[in-house]
Amino acid sequence: PAWNYTAVASTVLATTRLDLGDVVMAKGPTVVPQHDAQYWAQATAGFDFSGADRAPPALFNQVLWNGLKTGQTYPTIHTVFNQVADNDD
């Protein structure tokens, strides 16, 4: 079946100095960053952002979580599959 997708930008971009042009923003409240550009540059030092999907996804997710959810524990995956796989000797 045919499908389509329309990307929207996070409202956090509305708080930056980026020229957003005709970018469509996501619905919802404007997210205000808790850290400055220097924090993010240091947290992502060594990541390859030269193309899509080059940054290590698991590590990048943790960096994003820690930067956006400061002080909250990173979630762990709880699935039946993991429980079965862990007990499969």
Side-chain angles (χ1 to χ4, degrees), residues 24-37:
V24 176
M25 302 301 280
K27 294 179 181 176
T30 299
V31 176
V32 179
Q34 303 300 306
H35 304 285
D36 61 11

Side-chain angles (χ1 to χ4, degrees), residues 47-80:
F47 284 12
D48 181 358
F49 292 112
S50 66
D53 301 327
R54 292 184 183 257
L59 184 54
F60 189 45
N61 284 341
Q62 287 186 329
V63 166
L64 291 174
W65 179 272
N66 292 333
L68 298 171
K69 302 281 194 177
T70 303
Q72 294 184 31
T73 304
Y74 188 76
T76 56
I77 298 173
H78 298 281
T79 66
V80 173

